[in-house]
Amino acid sequence: MNLVLTVAQIVAPVFILAVIGVGWVKLGHEYPLRFITKLTMTLGIPCLIFTSLMKTEIDPASLTTVSLAAIVSYGAVTLLVYAKAVALGLDKRTYLAPLIFGNTGNLGMPLALFAFGDEGLGYAVVIFAIMAIWSFTFGIWLVSGGGNPLKSLKEPVVIGTALGALFLWQGWQTPVWLTNTLTMLGQVAIPLMLITLGVAVARLTSGDFGRAIWLSIAKAALCAAVAVGVGYGFGLTGIPFAVLVLQMITPIAVTNYLLAERFGADSQAVAGLVVASTLLSVLFLPLALAFLV
């Protein structure tokens, strides 16, 4: 019973805020999704990443190990998903990015914070930053069908990550007034991301739901197996191991739908994946937390 209550306390704030977003749309209120998404990705998340890295008290060696484990995990998932897409004849522009990149921002970071506190958030931020860099470079290259992926290195999330890593490495701190300002901006990110997730899911149409369900299940199983294997391979235990697994199994991110729509991939198929994987996460994320907490 104590385990059930613990898991419920962790997931309840996350899903309540998402439900608020769903309710907001169902009540007919206006929600400028693109503006809020841009605001969050341009200001909120970069500030959250920067301040979390700068202020973290986690051992730098542990952060390095988790970072390497995350890089290897995403590399392995990318290769395995590509092989699966080829074997099943899936359109690469439509399916590769969603099956690689999970919702490590909207869901992963809040869950890590509620489950494991500031230490968990510190690890989750690092994994999110690695995923974001891979998503904004290789991911956009996939969906767009070409172009120069290095242009995405100018993204605020990438810049915030690089600066945060530099300040962490050098032991630097910004002036108190600036730190407080950046911290306040970063604190806006998590509730906005969760409400935006609910709004985005409420507005999506499902597409081919049957295929979306089994692909979502396959993605979760594949990512869980890779994360567990890589975590053990790098000798991770406790919170670092739990956060790596949690971040890797998060459902498909809504940003994949926005990118598919922007670059002309099959956005309805991606919408179906987002809806299916998000609904399934209501079941498998609490189960995963029951084993990880």
Side-chain angles (χ1 to χ4, degrees):
M1 180 60 71
N2 288 337
L3 179 59
V4 173
L5 290 175
T6 300
V7 172
Q9 290 171 350
I10 293 168
V11 300
V14 172
F15 288 113
I16 287 173
L17 285 172
V19 168
I20 289 173
V22 173
W24 189 268
V25 171
K26 297 303 181 183
L27 290 172
H29 297 308
E30 183 180 355
Y31 194 94
L33 182 63
R34 290 187 179 275
F35 166 73
I36 293 177
T37 299
K38 186 173 183 178
L39 177 69
T40 306
M41 295 299 295
T42 304
L43 282 177
I45 293 178
C47 289
L48 177 64
I49 292 174
F50 174 75
T51 55
S52 295
L53 290 175
M54 180 180 67
K55 296 190 296 184
T56 187
E57 297 180 358
I58 300 173
D59 177 25
S62 296
L63 280 178
T64 299
T65 302
V66 169
S67 299
L68 292 173
I71 291 170
V72 172
S73 295
Y74 278 109
V77 168
T78 299
L79 293 175
L80 291 170
V81 166
Y82 182 86
K84 180 198 294 186
V86 171
L88 297 176
L90 299 175
D91 178 52
K92 297 179 184 61
R93 287 186 59 211
T94 297
Y95 288 98
L96 280 184
L99 294 177
I100 295 170
F101 304 114
N103 208 336
T104 55
N106 295 57
L107 277 180
M109 289 196 297
L111 281 174
L113 173 63
F114 295 136
F116 307 109
D118 289 337
E119 182 181 358
L121 178 62
Y123 289 119
V125 163
V126 169
I127 297 170
F128 166 76
I130 290 168
M131 188 280 299
I133 292 171
W134 191 227
S135 175
F136 285 133
T137 54
F138 177 70
I140 289 179
W141 179 80
L142 276 177
V143 179
S144 64
N148 182 6
L150 296 180
K151 290 182 179 179
S152 299
L153 294 177
K154 298 178 182 178
E155 290 285 340
V157 169
V158 178
I159 296 171
T161 301
L163 287 175
L166 176 63
F167 273 63
L168 172 64
W169 175 47
Q170 294 292 332
W172 295 341
Q173 295 286 323
T174 54
V176 174
W177 62 268
L178 181 57
T179 300
N180 291 340
T181 302
L182 296 173
T183 300
M184 289 181 67
L185 285 169
Q187 288 172 343
V188 170
I190 286 179
L192 269 183
M193 285 190 297
L194 290 172
I195 293 172
T196 301
L197 172 64
V199 170
V201 171
R203 289 178 175 175
L204 293 176
T205 54
S206 61
D208 186 353
F209 212 60
R211 170 181 281 189
I213 289 175
W214 73 259
L215 282 176
S216 298
I217 293 172
K219 169 185 165 52
L222 173 65
C223 290
V226 168
V228 169
V230 172
Y232 281 132
F234 276 84
L236 297 178
T237 58
I239 292 177
F241 176 82
V243 173
L244 175 66
V245 175
L246 183 64
Q247 285 286 64
M248 291 299 298
I249 66 172
T250 50
I252 294 166
V254 177
T255 51
N256 288 301
Y257 168 76
L258 299 177
L259 289 175
E261 193 173 60
R262 175 181 173 185
F263 291 109
D266 188 348
S267 59
Q268 287 306 304
V270 178
L273 287 170
V274 173
V275 173
S277 63
T278 302
L279 291 176
L280 287 169
S281 72
V282 177
L283 298 175
F284 70 74
L285 283 177
L287 288 174
L289 283 167
F291 287 99
L292 296 171
V293 173

